[in-house]
mmCIF file of all heavy atoms in Angstrom:
data_model
loop_
_atom_site.group_PDB
_atom_site.id
_atom_site.type_symbol
_atom_site.label_atom_id
_atom_site.label_comp_id
_atom_site.label_asym_id
_atom_site.label_seq_id
_atom_site.Cartn_x
_atom_site.Cartn_y
_atom_site.Cartn_z
ATOM 1 N N GLY A 12 4.291 -6.749 28.005
ATOM 2 C CA GLY A 12 4.159 -8.122 28.480
ATOM 3 C C GLY A 12 4.269 -8.243 29.989
ATOM 4 O O GLY A 12 4.819 -7.385 30.676
ATOM 5 N N ALA A 13 3.677 -9.329 30.510
ATOM 6 C CA ALA A 13 3.732 -9.642 31.938
ATOM 7 C C ALA A 13 4.393 -11.005 32.075
ATOM 8 O O ALA A 13 4.034 -11.939 31.373
ATOM 9 C CB ALA A 13 2.323 -9.678 32.523
ATOM 10 N N ASP A 63 8.066 -9.908 22.401
ATOM 11 C CA ASP A 63 7.525 -11.065 21.685
ATOM 12 C C ASP A 63 6.424 -10.603 20.726
ATOM 13 O O ASP A 63 5.247 -10.890 20.914
ATOM 14 C CB ASP A 63 6.983 -12.056 22.735
ATOM 15 C CG ASP A 63 6.244 -13.223 22.111
ATOM 16 O OD1 ASP A 63 6.588 -13.599 20.975
ATOM 17 O OD2 ASP A 63 5.323 -13.745 22.766
ATOM 18 N N PHE A 69 8.683 -15.192 19.751
ATOM 19 C CA PHE A 69 9.008 -16.584 20.074
ATOM 20 C C PHE A 69 8.774 -17.465 18.850
ATOM 21 O O PHE A 69 7.886 -17.177 18.030
ATOM 22 C CB PHE A 69 8.107 -17.104 21.208
ATOM 23 C CG PHE A 69 8.436 -16.528 22.560
ATOM 24 C CD1 PHE A 69 7.413 -16.084 23.395
ATOM 25 C CD2 PHE A 69 9.738 -16.457 23.022
ATOM 26 C CE1 PHE A 69 7.686 -15.572 24.657
ATOM 27 C CE2 PHE A 69 10.029 -15.948 24.279
ATOM 28 C CZ PHE A 69 8.998 -15.502 25.093
ATOM 29 N N ASP A 79 0.079 -12.993 15.924
ATOM 30 C CA ASP A 79 -1.330 -12.607 16.036
ATOM 31 C C ASP A 79 -1.397 -11.128 16.442
ATOM 32 O O ASP A 79 -0.550 -10.664 17.220
ATOM 33 C CB ASP A 79 -2.034 -13.397 17.149
ATOM 34 C CG ASP A 79 -1.842 -14.903 17.057
ATOM 35 O OD1 ASP A 79 -1.724 -15.420 15.930
ATOM 36 O OD2 ASP A 79 -1.805 -15.548 18.121
ATOM 37 N N HIS A 168 0.818 -20.081 32.234
ATOM 38 C CA HIS A 168 1.432 -19.583 31.016
ATOM 39 C C HIS A 168 2.907 -19.933 31.010
ATOM 40 O O HIS A 168 3.613 -19.629 31.966
ATOM 41 C CB HIS A 168 1.255 -18.068 30.993
ATOM 42 C CG HIS A 168 1.707 -17.469 29.730
ATOM 43 N ND1 HIS A 168 2.845 -16.732 29.629
ATOM 44 C CD2 HIS A 168 1.188 -17.544 28.484
ATOM 45 C CE1 HIS A 168 2.994 -16.335 28.381
ATOM 46 N NE2 HIS A 168 2.003 -16.817 27.682
ATOM 47 N N ASP A 170 5.351 -18.594 29.704
ATOM 48 C CA ASP A 170 6.209 -17.431 29.920
ATOM 49 C C ASP A 170 6.454 -17.151 31.381
ATOM 50 O O ASP A 170 7.496 -16.655 31.762
ATOM 51 C CB ASP A 170 5.540 -16.185 29.334
ATOM 52 C CG ASP A 170 6.019 -15.933 27.929
ATOM 53 O OD1 ASP A 170 6.765 -16.776 27.409
ATOM 54 O OD2 ASP A 170 5.635 -14.923 27.384
ATOM 55 N N GLY A 178 7.914 -9.995 26.184
ATOM 56 C CA GLY A 178 6.491 -10.312 26.175
ATOM 57 C C GLY A 178 5.718 -9.693 25.030
ATOM 58 O O GLY A 178 6.224 -8.919 24.224
ATOM 59 N N THR A 179 4.456 -10.099 25.009
ATOM 60 C CA THR A 179 3.432 -9.533 24.129
ATOM 61 C C THR A 179 3.379 -8.019 24.330
ATOM 62 O O THR A 179 3.728 -7.526 25.393
ATOM 63 C CB THR A 179 2.105 -10.186 24.533
ATOM 64 O OG1 THR A 179 2.166 -11.549 24.175
ATOM 65 C CG2 THR A 179 0.891 -9.531 23.912
ATOM 66 N N THR A 197 1.393 -10.074 19.230
ATOM 67 C CA THR A 197 2.211 -11.097 19.895
ATOM 68 C C THR A 197 2.753 -12.137 18.916
ATOM 69 O O THR A 197 2.177 -12.348 17.839
ATOM 70 C CB THR A 197 1.379 -11.843 20.968
ATOM 71 O OG1 THR A 197 2.256 -12.646 21.763
ATOM 72 C CG2 THR A 197 0.330 -12.755 20.357
ATOM 73 N N GLY A 198 3.834 -12.770 19.332
ATOM 74 C CA GLY A 198 4.307 -13.984 18.663
ATOM 75 C C GLY A 198 3.779 -15.214 19.402
ATOM 76 O O GLY A 198 4.141 -16.341 19.067
ATOM 77 N N GLY A 199 2.938 -14.980 20.413
ATOM 78 C CA GLY A 199 2.359 -16.099 21.166
ATOM 79 C C GLY A 199 3.331 -16.662 22.180
ATOM 80 O O GLY A 199 4.179 -15.941 22.696
ATOM 81 N N ILE A 200 3.189 -17.929 22.470
ATOM 82 C CA ILE A 200 4.044 -18.544 23.493
ATOM 83 C C ILE A 200 5.124 -19.397 22.819
ATOM 84 O O ILE A 200 4.907 -19.949 21.750
ATOM 85 C CB ILE A 200 3.218 -19.373 24.509
ATOM 86 C CG1 ILE A 200 2.367 -20.409 23.806
ATOM 87 C CG2 ILE A 200 2.348 -18.465 25.343
ATOM 88 C CD1 ILE A 200 1.601 -21.290 24.772
ATOM 89 N N ARG A 207 -1.677 -22.682 16.745
ATOM 90 C CA ARG A 207 -2.272 -22.258 18.030
ATOM 91 C C ARG A 207 -2.489 -20.739 18.025
ATOM 92 O O ARG A 207 -1.618 -19.967 17.645
ATOM 93 C CB ARG A 207 -1.345 -22.670 19.173
ATOM 94 C CG ARG A 207 -1.807 -22.220 20.567
ATOM 95 C CD ARG A 207 -1.186 -20.892 20.959
ATOM 96 N NE ARG A 207 -1.552 -20.490 22.322
ATOM 97 C CZ ARG A 207 -1.338 -19.272 22.812
ATOM 98 N NH1 ARG A 207 -0.778 -18.351 22.073
ATOM 99 N NH2 ARG A 207 -1.692 -18.979 24.049
ATOM 100 N N ILE A 208 -3.668 -20.337 18.452
ATOM 101 C CA ILE A 208 -3.979 -18.910 18.543
ATOM 102 C C ILE A 208 -4.410 -18.620 19.974
ATOM 103 O O ILE A 208 -5.251 -19.337 20.532
ATOM 104 C CB ILE A 208 -5.110 -18.533 17.558
ATOM 105 C CG1 ILE A 208 -4.640 -18.773 16.110
ATOM 106 C CG2 ILE A 208 -5.540 -17.087 17.749
ATOM 107 C CD1 ILE A 208 -5.753 -18.680 15.073
ATOM 108 N N GLY A 209 -3.826 -17.590 20.564
ATOM 109 C CA GLY A 209 -4.186 -17.217 21.935
ATOM 110 C C GLY A 209 -5.237 -16.130 21.948
ATOM 111 O O GLY A 209 -6.031 -15.976 21.017
ATOM 112 N N ASP A 210 -5.235 -15.360 23.034
ATOM 113 C CA ASP A 210 -6.251 -14.320 23.218
ATOM 114 C C ASP A 210 -6.012 -13.069 22.380
ATOM 115 O O ASP A 210 -6.945 -12.318 22.075
ATOM 116 C CB ASP A 210 -6.286 -13.908 24.695
ATOM 117 C CG ASP A 210 -4.927 -13.389 25.165
ATOM 118 O OD1 ASP A 210 -3.905 -14.044 24.862
ATOM 119 O OD2 ASP A 210 -4.876 -12.336 25.824
ATOM 120 N N THR A 211 -4.745 -12.850 22.009
ATOM 121 C CA THR A 211 -4.351 -11.554 21.437
ATOM 122 C C THR A 211 -5.216 -11.073 20.274
ATOM 123 O O THR A 211 -5.610 -9.902 20.242
ATOM 124 C CB THR A 211 -2.864 -11.604 21.029
ATOM 125 O OG1 THR A 211 -2.120 -11.917 22.199
ATOM 126 C CG2 THR A 211 -2.378 -10.294 20.444
ATOM 127 N N SER A 229 -4.536 -6.844 26.965
ATOM 128 C CA SER A 229 -4.095 -7.855 27.928
ATOM 129 C C SER A 229 -2.866 -8.617 27.465
ATOM 130 O O SER A 229 -2.543 -8.656 26.287
ATOM 131 C CB SER A 229 -5.175 -8.891 28.216
ATOM 132 O OG SER A 229 -6.369 -8.672 27.579
ATOM 133 N N THR A 230 -2.246 -9.288 28.428
ATOM 134 C CA THR A 230 -1.110 -10.169 28.156
ATOM 135 C C THR A 230 -1.051 -11.241 29.226
ATOM 136 O O THR A 230 -1.328 -10.964 30.388
ATOM 137 C CB THR A 230 0.211 -9.377 28.129
ATOM 138 O OG1 THR A 230 1.295 -10.302 28.028
ATOM 139 C CG2 THR A 230 0.407 -8.535 29.382
ATOM 140 N N GLY A 231 -0.732 -12.450 28.825
ATOM 141 C CA GLY A 231 -0.636 -13.515 29.819
ATOM 142 C C GLY A 231 -1.091 -14.834 29.239
ATOM 143 O O GLY A 231 -1.008 -15.057 28.031
ATOM 144 N N ASP A 232 -1.600 -15.690 30.099
ATOM 145 C CA ASP A 232 -2.031 -17.031 29.701
ATOM 146 C C ASP A 232 -3.188 -16.925 28.706
ATOM 147 O O ASP A 232 -4.351 -16.797 29.115
ATOM 148 C CB ASP A 232 -2.539 -17.812 30.907
ATOM 149 C CG ASP A 232 -1.499 -17.961 32.000
ATOM 150 O OD1 ASP A 232 -0.339 -17.593 31.786
ATOM 151 O OD2 ASP A 232 -1.856 -18.479 33.070
ATOM 152 N N GLY A 233 -2.885 -17.020 27.426
ATOM 153 C CA GLY A 233 -3.881 -16.733 26.397
ATOM 154 C C GLY A 233 -5.141 -17.563 26.510
ATOM 155 O O GLY A 233 -6.253 -17.045 26.393
ATOM 156 N N GLU A 234 -4.978 -18.868 26.760
ATOM 157 C CA GLU A 234 -6.155 -19.745 26.809
ATOM 158 C C GLU A 234 -7.079 -19.319 27.950
ATOM 159 O O GLU A 234 -8.310 -19.323 27.824
ATOM 160 C CB GLU A 234 -5.709 -21.207 26.963
ATOM 161 C CG GLU A 234 -5.148 -21.834 25.681
ATOM 162 C CD GLU A 234 -3.767 -21.325 25.243
ATOM 163 O OE1 GLU A 234 -3.141 -20.571 26.005
ATOM 164 O OE2 GLU A 234 -3.328 -21.678 24.141
ATOM 165 N N PHE A 236 -7.275 -16.247 29.281
ATOM 166 C CA PHE A 236 -7.884 -14.949 28.946
ATOM 167 C C PHE A 236 -9.072 -15.151 28.010
ATOM 168 O O PHE A 236 -10.049 -14.407 28.073
ATOM 169 C CB PHE A 236 -6.846 -14.017 28.307
ATOM 170 C CG PHE A 236 -5.992 -13.276 29.304
ATOM 171 C CD1 PHE A 236 -5.066 -13.951 30.085
ATOM 172 C CD2 PHE A 236 -6.117 -11.916 29.470
ATOM 173 C CE1 PHE A 236 -4.276 -13.281 31.008
ATOM 174 C CE2 PHE A 236 -5.335 -11.228 30.392
ATOM 175 C CZ PHE A 236 -4.420 -11.912 31.158
HETATM 176 N N1 LIG Z 576 -1.403 -13.818 25.574
HETATM 177 C C1 LIG Z 576 -0.402 -14.223 24.620
HETATM 178 C C2 LIG Z 576 -0.824 -15.538 23.989
HETATM 179 O O1 LIG Z 576 -1.369 -16.361 24.684
HETATM 180 C C3 LIG Z 576 0.954 -14.404 25.203
HETATM 181 C C4 LIG Z 576 1.409 -13.348 26.174
HETATM 182 O O2 LIG Z 576 0.717 -12.384 26.433
HETATM 183 O O3 LIG Z 576 2.533 -13.470 26.706
HETATM 184 O O4 LIG Z 576 -0.543 -15.755 22.833
#
Side-chain angles (χ1 to χ4, degrees):
D63 173 30
F69 288 135
D79 309 328
H168 186 252
D170 266 6
T179 292
T197 191
I200 55 177
R207 177 266 184 192
I208 297 169
D210 59 314
T211 302
S229 357
T230 173
D232 301 352
E234 285 72 8
F236 276 69

